[in-house]
Amino acid sequence: MDLDLSSVEPFRAEVRAWLREHVPAAPLPSLEIEEGFAAHRAWERELHEARLSVVSWPEEYGGRNATPLEWLVFEEEYYAAGAPGRVSQNGINLLAPTLFQHGTPEQLARVLPSMASGEVIWAQAWSEPGAGSDLASLRATATRTDGGWLLNGQKTWSSRAAFADWGFGPFRSDPEAERHRGLTYLMFPLDAEGITRRPIGRIDGKPAFAELFFDDVFVPDRDVIGEPGSGWKVAMSTTGNERGLTLRSPGRFLAAADRLLELWREHGDPADTAMRERVADAWIKARAYRLKGFETISRTEDVGAESSVNKIFWSELDVALHETALDLLGPDGELGGEWLEGYVFSLAGPIYAGTNEIQRNVIAERVLGLPKAGSR
């Protein structure tokens, strides 16, 4: 691993200068409400006009062919500048990498430009009432019909689905096949005839999710990702990105750890050694994750099941960072503000992208080679 960052300093300087000039002086409204969703969509458009919305993508789709190292640097600068959260993250960080790996040239040309500009915001529609972390148990169906598929069933806890434009996820297309087979991965417009969406409020009441009901929703063949019946394989490439660096880059935690340090300097009691150690521990872990990020992008092979280690690390670090900040602020922290907003969001981290309990099983079985849970 070569940690010489001199080659990317010009890019860092360019990004830093643009962000200094364009990041809104006041935080945008929460992207979990309609007004905030629209404001964040406009921010995506502004990023796109500067060719900064998807820096690692090829230029033909709105990117600038940035290297993985340049992408990490962009992320560091983005979060350090206090820039708004990315309402397009489901599309940019989850669906796009899946399309690059499994999509057709037509799908790439049709889907990616509008994703990069924020014109189309994507919702991840995976979980079902009986299938969350156990994705292979899903029961929503895709049935073959002339020119496409008919979707029926229900999805729930669908991120961004309350206000998003399109969704993506796996459906059971062969009920006679084994659990991990017979799934097909599809994209669908959320305003299609036959779809009903009902917003789900999180703990603070904001509709960060929605449940979706499908009643003979027609999806043409061109919106199938990968081969029909290969949905599990396609879904696993999505989860690799969701659990790894793509969704939760080190820059996000570096910026939060630096803000926590400032908070300690403003509100901390030097005699409170326990609190001081919590702040130091979070700051050190954020930097350790940064080094892990450099190590990850220096690899030539797929990270594979090791992405589960990343997922547990960043999700637990996120909760610890925000809990420590709220404890520093005391009762005032519960009145609102970015730390409370971030804390509420962080609580979902150990659950989404596959619960941390499931990830520990993945690490035990696929990384460490230990016996399967429940076996003798």
Side-chain angles (χ1 to χ4, degrees):
M1 180 173 60
D2 181 4
L3 280 180
D4 180 5
L5 301 179
S6 59
S7 65
V8 295
E9 288 309 317
F11 178 68
R12 182 193 293 278
E14 176 196 341
V15 172
R16 182 178 295 175
W18 189 89
L19 290 168
R20 187 187 303 121
E21 186 175 344
H22 291 85
V23 169
L28 300 180
S30 170
L31 59 79
E32 312 297 3
I33 59 175
E34 187 169 9
E35 175 193 4
F37 199 92
H40 283 77
R41 189 197 292 266
W43 170 249
E44 293 290 338
R45 195 160 50 242
E46 193 171 351
L47 278 174
H48 177 255
E49 289 169 355
R51 294 179 55 238
L52 291 174
S53 65
V54 287
V55 295
S56 61
W57 289 12
E59 292 184 5
E60 63 189 294
Y61 305 126
R64 52 167 63 191
N65 286 315
T67 65
L69 182 57
E70 288 174 325
W71 174 76
L72 279 179
V73 165
F74 170 81
E75 292 284 296
E76 287 184 6
E77 293 300 322
Y78 188 88
Y79 286 104
R86 302 296 301 273
V87 72
S88 287
Q89 68 175 17
N90 284 332
I92 292 171
N93 296 327
L94 303 180
L95 178 58
T98 305
L99 285 172
F100 281 125
Q101 190 169 354
H102 300 280
T104 65
E106 186 278 333
Q107 287 174 335
L108 294 174
R110 174 165 53 94
V111 171
L112 295 184
S114 60
M115 183 190 295
S117 68
E119 179 184 350
V120 174
I121 305 295
W122 290 81
Q124 184 183 23
W126 282 34
S127 296
E128 298 181 7
S133 291
D134 185 11
L135 185 65
S137 296
L138 62 82
R139 291 180 294 181
T141 60
T143 306
R144 206 75 178 90
T145 188
D146 289 343
W149 303 79
L150 291 177
L151 306 185
N152 283 282
Q154 180 184 356
K155 299 285 184 180
T156 192
W157 303 114
S158 298
S159 305
R160 304 277 184 270
F163 308 115
D165 306 295
W166 277 64
F168 61 94
F171 291 78
R172 188 161 299 286
S173 53
D174 184 356
E176 303 301 321
E178 296 177 17
R179 279 165 31 102
H180 295 78
R181 302 180 186 277
L183 302 179
T184 296
Y185 205 102
L186 300 113
M187 304 179 284
F188 48 87
L190 288 170
D191 61 355
E193 183 177 353
I195 287 184
T196 301
R197 54 177 157 180
R198 297 176 182 168
I200 300 175
R202 63 182 187 185
I203 194 171
D204 60 2
K206 295 171 183 170
F209 311 94
E211 55 184 348
L212 304 172
F213 298 88
F214 300 83
D215 183 11
D216 281 343
V217 177
F218 176 75
V219 175
D221 285 324
R222 71 173 190 162
D223 287 331
V224 173
I225 303 175
E227 295 296 323
S230 68
W232 180 261
K233 177 183 176 183
V234 180
M236 290 306 99
S237 68
T238 307
T239 60
N241 289 292
E242 188 174 27
R243 294 166 187 166
L245 286 180
T246 310
L247 183 63
R248 293 286 173 256
S249 65
R252 182 174 186 270
F253 303 101
L254 286 173
D258 285 342
R259 290 200 304 274
L260 178 64
L261 191 59
E262 288 301 314
L263 200 64
W264 159 256
R265 288 168 175 155
E266 293 173 10
H267 298 273
D269 176 2
D272 187 348
T273 56
M275 179 61 75
R276 188 172 59 191
E277 288 177 4
R278 288 173 63 187
V279 173
D281 186 63
W283 191 87
I284 291 169
K285 285 180 176 175
R287 271 143 188 81
Y289 188 47
R290 183 189 193 223
L291 294 178
K292 176 63 177 174
F294 288 135
E295 187 271 340
T296 299
I297 65 169
S298 70
R299 295 188 185 194
T300 55
E301 77 277 15
D302 185 11
V303 175
E306 287 188 40
S307 62
S308 295
V309 179
N310 266 5
K311 197 271 174 172
I312 292 173
F313 190 88
W314 60 248
S315 61
E316 293 186 348
L317 173 58
D318 207 20
V319 174
L321 274 163
H322 288 86
E323 280 183 342
T324 304
L326 290 181
D327 287 344
L328 271 170
L329 289 169
D332 289 348
E334 299 180 15
L335 298 178
E338 63 173 335
W339 286 112
L340 182 61
E341 178 87 11
Y343 174 67
V344 171
F345 183 78
S346 75
L347 293 177
I351 301 172
Y352 68 77
T355 65
N356 284 8
E357 288 79 6
I358 292 292
Q359 303 315 307
R360 287 186 166 86
N361 278 344
V362 171
I363 294 167
E365 296 168 12
R366 301 183 197 171
V367 179
L368 302 179
L370 297 176
K372 190 176 180 61
S375 63
R376 295 183 178 180

